[in-house]
Amino acid sequence: MRELDTSLISDTVARLCMEANYELGRDMLEAIDRALDREESPTGRSILEQLKENAAIARSESAPICQDTGLAVIFLEIGQELVLVGGDLEEAVNAGVRRGYEEGYLRKSTCHPFTRANCGDNTPAIIHCRLVPGDGLKIVVAPKGGGSENMSKVVMLKPADGIAGVKQQVVEWVRQAGGNPCPPTTVGVGIGGNFERSAILAKEALLREVGTPNPDPELQVLEEELLAEINRLGIGPQGLGGRITSFAVHIKMQPCHIASLPVAINIQCHAARHKEAIL
Ligand code: SF4
């Protein structure tokens, strides 16, 4: 059994909070370049150019890509042969978030749901844990902005609704979302599982690098069909019209109950932030 001190987890989470907020991934930069090749709207092209410039400034000046530095969503894959020592795992993650957001001058966005009083340190983080074989620990930090998160949905379709029902839900929801999630977006779709699993599948789908194919060829075709339909809506960059409403549609799917067809949609804005480390 391998031992890992939880203080190392705090240090890593703090670093990843800052890196995620300062450095837009290469996949997103390449997606913007591909979008520039296809966008015909002058306003849309101007916005895409500004997104590139904004990302370059954020990286070079260690400044947030967006003022909404998000709730800290953390995915942990914990090796079942790993022994955590030195303290409570959840507290270690929250300590890392607290430090990363303070030292990185990142906006604290958590608040009481009713009074709206700010919690002051961007905790509690949203933590998802999965046990995996081995003795390692994978940490993914994915800050998620409120504007795009508000454009989320879970719907329990009838089994007979099938693929056509899923497509109708996704395209119609993106149409209704309009410019609210700060397009161009990546549309995460979770299909199957149950109510809460479908939502987590949709969020996990957003972690795949934009531009990489779905490992399931059937889902790859569905993603391409959905993206084509979404980009015919004309919403465009920042909702001001154009061809490029979304960079990509990402789907994750798993089996569900014979009576159900859960579908979740979680939209990611152009500030698609996630960084990871393996300890
Ligand atoms: S949705 Fe994204 S780009 Fe828009 S304000 Fe929120 S974090 Fe920023």
Side-chain angles (χ1 to χ4, degrees):
M1 299 290 258
R2 175 179 165 238
E3 289 192 352
L4 181 70
D5 198 293
T6 53
S7 64
L8 191 54
I9 297 172
S10 299
D11 294 345
T12 305
V13 168
R15 174 173 62 81
L16 294 177
C17 285
M18 290 186 261
E19 287 180 5
N21 272 293
Y22 300 159
E23 300 170 12
L24 197 61
R26 187 198 304 264
D27 61 325
M28 290 305 301
L29 296 171
E30 290 173 356
I32 295 172
D33 280 336
R34 286 195 298 275
L36 272 166
D37 289 341
R38 293 170 47 225
E39 183 56 73
E40 292 168 355
S41 150
T43 306
R45 291 184 58 77
S46 167
I47 290 166
L48 291 167
E49 292 286 6
Q50 287 174 52
L51 294 182
K52 277 181 72 171
E53 186 185 0
N54 180 66
I57 293 170
R59 181 179 288 263
S60 67
E61 297 188 6
S62 295
I65 298 159
C66 179
Q67 46 77 34
D68 183 353
T69 52
L71 287 196
V73 182
I74 316 284
F75 292 89
L76 301 176
E77 288 184 14
I78 307 167
Q80 61 194 19
E81 292 161 41
L82 185 66
V83 178
L84 299 173
V85 297
D88 177 79
L89 172 61
E90 196 167 314
E91 176 45 34
V93 171
N94 280 320
V97 169
R98 210 171 282 129
R99 180 144 41 96
Y101 274 71
E102 186 62 27
E103 293 178 5
Y105 300 101
L106 305 174
R107 192 186 80 183
K108 288 82 174 175
S109 299
T110 56
C111 71
H112 187 284
F114 293 153
T115 68
R116 313 309 292 178
N118 198 294
C119 299
D121 60 5
N122 220 44
T123 68
I126 311 291
I127 304 172
H128 301 287
C129 294
R130 203 158 69 88
L131 286 175
V132 297
D135 62 2
L137 173 67
K138 182 177 176 184
I139 304 173
V140 180
V141 173
K144 188 69 164 64
S148 59
E149 190 70 0
N150 287 346
M151 298 297 107
S152 303
K153 179 181 187 178
V154 175
V155 57
M156 305 300 284
L157 295 182
K158 296 184 184 72
D161 290 331
I163 291 178
V166 172
K167 288 172 85 169
Q168 194 272 339
Q169 284 290 333
V170 173
V171 175
E172 177 57 20
W173 188 245
V174 173
R175 189 189 68 74
Q176 286 183 37
N180 291 316
C182 295
T185 58
T186 304
V187 182
V189 182
I191 304 173
N194 61 357
F195 172 76
E196 75 272 16
R197 174 59 63 190
S198 65
I200 293 172
L201 287 172
K203 178 121 328 177
E204 287 177 347
L206 296 174
L207 300 178
R208 200 176 99 212
E209 287 202 356
V210 170
T212 57
N214 193 305
D216 180 331
E218 188 185 6
L219 294 183
Q220 174 65 26
V221 171
L222 184 53
E223 288 181 358
E224 289 168 5
E225 290 174 353
L226 280 167
L227 183 63
E229 281 197 47
I230 286 168
N231 282 336
R232 278 197 287 271
L233 294 172
I235 295 167
Q238 288 295 11
L240 296 175
R243 276 184 184 273
I244 310 297
T245 299
S246 293
F247 293 124
V249 176
H250 287 178
I251 303 174
K252 281 194 90 170
M253 185 166 82
Q254 73 173 56
C256 58
H257 193 283
I258 52 173
S260 306
L261 176 49
V263 180
I265 304 161
N266 190 224
I267 301 181
Q268 177 63 288
C269 58
H270 60 72
R273 298 157 288 190
H274 52 94
K275 294 290 177 200
E276 65 183 55
I278 295 175
L279 302 179

